[in-house]
Amino acid sequence: MRFRLLKKNFIVFLVILVVFIMLFYSIRRTKDDPNVDVTEKDSTQTAVMGKFEFGTIQDMRKSIYDSNYRQIIQNGDKFPLEPEAVVVVQVHNRPAYLKMLIRSLEKVDGVQNTLLIFSHDYFSEEISNMVKGITFCRVLQIYFPYSIQLYPNEFPGQDPRDCPRDISKEDAIKKGCLNAEHPDSYGHYREASITQTKHHWWWKLHFVFERVQVLRGYNGYIVFIEEDNYLLPDFHKYLKSMIEVKKTSCGDCDVLALGNHNGLSGFHELSSKTETAGWLSTKHNIGMGISRELYYKLMGCNNAFCTYDDYNWDWTLQNLSGTCVSKALKVLVARGSRVLHTGDCGLHQKEDCRPEMAQERVDAALKEAQLALFPPILTVTDHGPVEHQPHMKNGGWGDVRDHTLCINYAARL
C-alpha cells in the first residue's frame, strides 16, 4: 500500500516538474526573443479583428453577418475609457471624400475620447483598409445587410422582372412585371439605387441605438454625418458646449445641428452663435445630434416613416415633424458650421467629381477661420415656437416591398 502511494506521488511530482520546466523555457524564450511578443500580439490582433471576405456575394454576406454580430472595437485597448461623444458616418463609395473626412477627424481636438462608427452600404478593400488605418480613436464598422451590392439581381436590388421606371401602370399590368400594382405618387416605379440611401439611414438609426453593444447605457448625443463631410478642429469641444446650451437655454430642443450649408462664410462673426428653429431638411440635415429620447419618438413613427412616398430620409423626417411626432421638431443650430459639406458628387451627380478642389477650398477657408475656433462661450438666439412645415413629397418610395423591409428593421437587424 505504501509503495503504491509513493509511486503515485512520484508520478504527480514528475508531471508538475515537466510543466514547470516548459513554463520556464517559454518565459525565457519570450524575454530573449523580442520578435516573439510582437508576433503573438499581431496574431491576436488579426484573430480579434477578423477577416472580411470580398471574394463573392456569399462571402460578403457571411462577413457582414459575422461583423455585425461580433462588433469588434478597433483601438479598444489603446483608448479604454467610455466615449464622451459618438460620431456615426454613413459611407457609400466615395473613397476620396472619405479620406478627407478621416484627415479632418484626426485633427479634431479631443477625438481620442470619441467613438467613431462607420456604417457601410458598399464593401471594398480600399474603403476597409482606409478605416482600419485609423489609430487616433476607437472605431467600429457596421454593415448595411440589404445593400444593392449584395442583391444585384433581386430585391432590394434591381430585379430584372421589376417594372421599368417610366412605364404606365396599365402597360405594367399587361406586362406582368413584379411591382406593377405599386408605382409611386407620380406614376413611376422604384429604382434600387434611389431607394438605398433612405433604407440605410433608417436601418443605421435602429442598429446604432438598439444593437451596438458598446453603447448600452450611453445616454449622450450621437452625431450623424456622411462620408463627404469635413469636421472642424473644435468640433468635439463645440458639441460639448452646445449640449450645455441646450440644457440651460433650450430645454425643449429635440435636435442639435452642428453644421449648416453656408460653409464658413462670416465665420468670425458667427463662430460663437447658436439659434433655435423648426427643423428643416434643407437646412439642418448635416451634423445632426440625436438623443435616445428623440430616437424613441421616431420609433413611434416607424410605419409613418417607412410608408411615406419620398425617397429622401430627411424630407420624410420633416413630414413626421408636427404630424406623427405631435410637436414639431425644434433644433439648436450652430450658426458657425462645425461640419462642412465637401462633396460635389452624390446621388444625382456622378461625373466630374473634383475632391482635390474641395480639399483646396476647405484648406483656404480654414486658414481664414483659424482664429475664430474654440470660442470660450456660446450665445443662443431663441426664435420661439415652431410649427410643422409641409412640403411636396418627392415620390420614389411607392413600392410595398420597400415599406415592408423598412418597417421590419426594428425586428430584423
Side-chain angles (χ1 to χ4, degrees):
M1 176 66 74
R2 183 179 297 175
F3 176 76
R4 285 201 301 270
L5 286 173
L6 287 172
K7 184 178 178 181
K8 184 177 180 181
N9 290 339
F10 180 72
I11 291 171
V12 172
F13 172 77
L14 281 178
V15 171
I16 294 172
L17 181 63
V18 169
V19 171
F20 177 80
I21 291 171
M22 290 175 66
L23 285 172
F24 174 78
Y25 278 104
S26 176
I27 293 170
R28 182 175 178 181
R29 177 174 170 269
T30 301
K31 288 181 178 179
D32 291 345
D33 187 356
N35 294 322
V36 171
D37 182 59
V38 173
T39 303
E40 290 178 354
K41 185 176 181 181
D42 287 348
S43 175
T44 303
Q45 182 72 9
T46 302
V48 168
M49 291 300 292
K51 181 172 174 56
F52 195 106
E53 298 290 345
F54 296 94
T56 67
I57 288 175
Q58 288 302 323
D59 289 338
M60 285 193 288
R61 287 181 183 177
K62 289 176 183 177
S63 293
I64 285 164
Y65 178 86
D66 181 63
S67 297
N68 285 347
Y69 177 76
R70 295 173 69 199
Q71 298 181 22
I72 303 303
I73 302 295
Q74 180 178 323
N75 304 321
D77 53 344
K78 187 176 179 182
F79 304 101
L81 299 179
E82 293 298 312
E84 293 180 1
V86 179
V87 175
V88 180
V89 187
Q90 183 159 324
V91 185
H92 182 52
N93 185 25
R94 291 178 286 181
Y97 292 101
L98 179 60
K99 191 173 185 178
M100 287 173 58
L101 170 63
I102 292 172
R103 284 176 183 164
S104 76
L105 286 163
E106 187 171 15
K107 297 173 184 176
V108 170
D109 186 68
V111 71
Q112 69 275 10
N113 301 316
T114 300
L115 171 65
L116 276 180
I117 300 177
F118 292 85
S119 183
H120 303 273
D121 62 32
Y122 183 85
F123 319 109
S124 74
E125 291 189 72
E126 179 184 14
I127 292 172
S128 178
N129 290 336
M130 211 176 283
V131 176
K132 285 180 180 178
I134 294 174
T135 59
F136 49 79
C137 69
R138 289 204 287 178
V139 175
L140 171 65
Q141 297 193 71
I142 61 176
Y143 303 88
F144 178 50
Y146 305 106
S147 163
I148 58 177
Q149 186 184 6
L150 301 177
Y151 297 89
N153 299 306
E154 59 182 307
F155 180 86
Q158 200 74 41
D159 194 307
R161 298 168 296 168
D162 284 347
C163 300
R165 177 186 183 274
D166 295 321
I167 193 173
S168 70
K169 185 174 181 179
E170 181 182 1
D171 289 342
I173 292 172
K174 288 179 183 177
K175 184 176 181 179
C177 44
L178 287 181
N179 49 338
E181 295 289 348
H182 304 290
D184 68 9
S185 302
Y186 303 101
H188 301 301
Y189 290 94
R190 81 183 294 269
E191 298 172 275
S193 59
I194 298 297
T195 61
Q196 177 170 266
T197 301
K198 180 173 174 176
H199 274 295
H200 185 179
W201 195 87
W202 198 239
W203 172 87
K204 173 190 67 181
L205 198 66
H206 281 294
F207 197 90
V208 168
F209 278 102
E210 298 285 0
R211 294 293 188 269
V212 172
Q213 298 158 13
V214 73
L215 292 181
R216 289 175 181 170
Y218 176 80
N219 290 313
Y221 280 83
I222 298 178
V223 181
F224 292 85
I225 62 174
E226 298 182 7
E227 65 188 334
D228 62 346
N229 291 163
Y230 190 101
L231 272 57
L232 269 59
D234 64 346
F235 170 88
H236 182 79
K237 184 178 184 301
Y238 198 91
L239 170 61
K240 292 170 72 173
S241 298
M242 279 192 83
I243 292 171
E244 289 305 310
V245 170
K246 194 267 182 194
K247 289 178 182 177
T248 59
S249 306
C250 193
D252 60 341
C253 283
D254 301 288
V255 188
L256 303 181
L258 282 94
N260 59 57
H261 292 280
N262 300 326
L264 295 182
S265 176
F267 188 78
H268 281 266
E269 179 187 349
L270 302 175
S271 175
S272 62
K273 296 180 179 180
T274 67
E275 65 180 9
T276 64
W279 193 88
L280 294 175
S281 66
T282 53
K283 291 185 176 182
H284 309 131
N285 62 353
I286 178 170
M288 285 178 60
I290 296 178
S291 66
R292 194 172 291 274
E293 179 183 6
L294 175 57
Y295 165 74
Y296 288 136
K297 287 183 183 179
L298 296 179
M299 288 311 100
C301 297
N302 191 31
N303 280 30
F305 182 94
C306 290
T307 57
Y308 184 66
D309 188 13
D310 196 313
Y311 68 90
N312 299 286
W313 66 264
D314 45 359
W315 282 111
T316 304
L317 194 61
Q318 183 174 320
N319 176 68
L320 298 182
S321 173
T323 55
C324 180
V325 178
S326 58
K327 183 178 74 69
L329 297 177
K330 188 175 182 178
V331 59
L332 180 65
V333 188
R335 295 194 64 196
S337 183
R338 262 56 188 187
V339 183
L340 305 179
H341 181 248
T342 58
D344 50 11
C345 289
L347 190 60
H348 301 293
Q349 180 183 343
K350 303 183 185 300
E351 298 179 356
D352 298 324
C353 304
R354 301 292 300 275
E356 68 282 355
M357 296 294 292
Q359 183 67 66
E360 290 178 11
R361 289 194 298 270
V362 167
D363 290 342
L366 277 176
K367 189 174 181 181
E368 292 291 324
Q370 196 70 33
L371 294 178
L373 295 171
F374 299 98
I377 57 171
L378 302 183
T379 62
V380 59
T381 301
D382 191 339
H383 293 292
V386 300
E387 297 178 351
H388 171 66
Q389 297 291 331
H391 74 97
M392 182 71 73
K393 56 188 173 185
N394 292 294
W397 194 266
D399 198 308
V400 293
R401 294 174 299 175
D402 288 313
H403 302 170
T404 302
L405 177 60
C406 177
I407 289 169
N408 283 339
Y409 292 147
R412 294 165 49 195
L413 295 168

